[in-house]
Amino acid sequence: MRRFHYLAPRRLDEALSLLTPDAVPLAGGTDLFLRMERRQTQPDAVVDLKRIPDMDRIEPSDGGLRIGALAPMESLAASSLIVNGYRALAESARVVGSIQTRNRATIGGNLANASPAADTATPLLALGATAEAGRVDGSRELPLEQLFLGPGRTALESGELLTAVRIPAMPGRTGSSFQRCVRTAMDIAVVNCAAFVKLDEDGAVEDARIALGAVGPTPLRALSAESCLQGRRFDADAAAEAAECAAHDARPIDDVRASADYRKDMVRVLTRRAVENAFQRARGEA
Amino acid sequence: MTAEPIRITVTVNGESFREEVPATRSLLDFLRDDLGLTGTKEGCSEGECGACAVILDGRLVDACLIFAAEADGRSVETVEGLADGEELHPLQRTFAAAGAAQCGYCTPGMLMACKSLLDRNPSPTREEVTHGIAGNLCRCTGYGTIIQAVMEAAKES
């Protein structure tokens, strides 16, 4: 590993001023450490964010939730706020890597690494999350869709840091679900999928969001699957049609984990399961 | 470029150590090479195998993916801290009794993963044990005897 300066600021503004183009932020390190070991990233300075108080906080905010970028997966999976209100997110955090990894890997790192297969990205897209980007002279919020530009590439500008994720309030008659297909428990998702539905008083879909992972250069919304559900009540046909639409929305490639065809098939299966499960939850049945 | 060594203070198994380390030093190398605590093993060095699992401020982590500098001011438990003098930890006794170690290379990390599991969940189901050691590879035992040992240790306490 190439030598570097290790910096451990205790305040966010200090950290932001240290994030020069030759510096990288360090959260859980489960990805960064390896990239540095392999000399894929060779920063002059590493800015460890873990000494900054409260950057790992999960707290109610504007009726919804604000999750500090440093919150580790295990805290997300154990948070009653997330488990009770945003189940798809809790379900995704619970299956990331091993307990060792979940104790270190953070939500901010999972998103800022911009892996197309990032497990927390799909539920956050389905739940309508926004990313909070801080910089020395202020901060901005952007819809999560706009954060991801391609594998490993985000819309964060030089000197900007992902400081938190915000998820809107979840009113009644809403439900969400996360589904994933892996080769082995510790592997990266072959496909992952999250669904969110909001039902009206008659049980018809008022709002639906479906997100897919590992089937395109970024985690993506399955927009035609979403509009296919609009206004409909749940039945087997609705779920099957949404699943078919999602398979069209997916743009997978062949790689070492799976073929594009297999991924499309899995998008069908996972979307059907996620939609069905989200409906059940919106009706208070699961 | 010049990168100055970093002065860190880390509590390991209850004892405080003050050392100077280069920024590139991993917590694993710090434990093994600087402190001579070679119980913690190096396996894959990629956070996949769990041979280097230790408990950092009460949480199970892989020491190979952490900079020693990150442990400054924090507390680490390693396999050397499990026994109380000559008195083995219940997991060490049940591992021995069940034959849960063959080559033994995964055992220190496995013991720490199992200790961490029982600290969080004193009476786990078989499935919860399996889940708790999912980040620790053992290529000898097939895990049966390890799971058995954890269930025995849970019963004892």
Side-chain angles (χ1 to χ4, degrees), chain A residues 221-246:
Chain A
R221 292 267 298 274
L223 296 175
S224 72
E226 293 176 3
S227 49
C228 149
L229 285 174
Q230 201 65 39
R232 293 182 69 164
R233 282 162 205 287
F234 180 76
D235 58 30
D237 284 347
E241 281 170 41
E244 196 55 42
C245 289

Side-chain angles (χ1 to χ4, degrees), chain A residues 173 196-210 223-246 271-272 275-276 278-280 282-283:
Chain A
R173 294 192 299 272
F196 161 86
V197 294
K198 179 179 192 313
L199 306 180
D200 65 18
E201 283 174 12
D202 302 321
V205 174
E206 202 174 284
D207 203 1
R209 280 190 297 269
I210 295 169
L223 296 175
S224 72
E226 293 176 3
S227 49
C228 149
L229 285 174
Q230 201 65 39
R232 293 182 69 164
R233 282 162 205 287
F234 180 76
D235 58 30
D237 284 347
E241 281 170 41
E244 196 55 42
C245 289
T271 303
R272 185 167 44 72
V275 166
E276 185 171 347
F279 262 99
Q280 286 168 343
R283 292 190 302 232

Side-chain angles (χ1 to χ4, degrees), chain B residues 98-139:
Chain B
Q102 286 182 32
C103 89
Y105 201 78
C106 76
T107 309
M110 194 65 86
L111 283 167
M112 299 317 285
C114 295
K115 176 184 189 290
S116 167
L117 171 68
L118 293 183
D119 286 348
R120 298 190 306 275
N121 179 359
S123 35
T125 62
R126 229 185 127 77
E127 201 189 329
E128 285 165 342
V129 175
T130 312
H131 198 62
I133 61 172
N136 294 74
L137 296 183
C138 171
R139 300 290 79 158

Side-chain angles (χ1 to χ4, degrees), chain A residues 72-83:
Chain A
M73 296 296 157
E74 198 60 19
S75 300
L76 303 183
S79 157
S80 57
L81 288 169
I82 296 177
V83 171

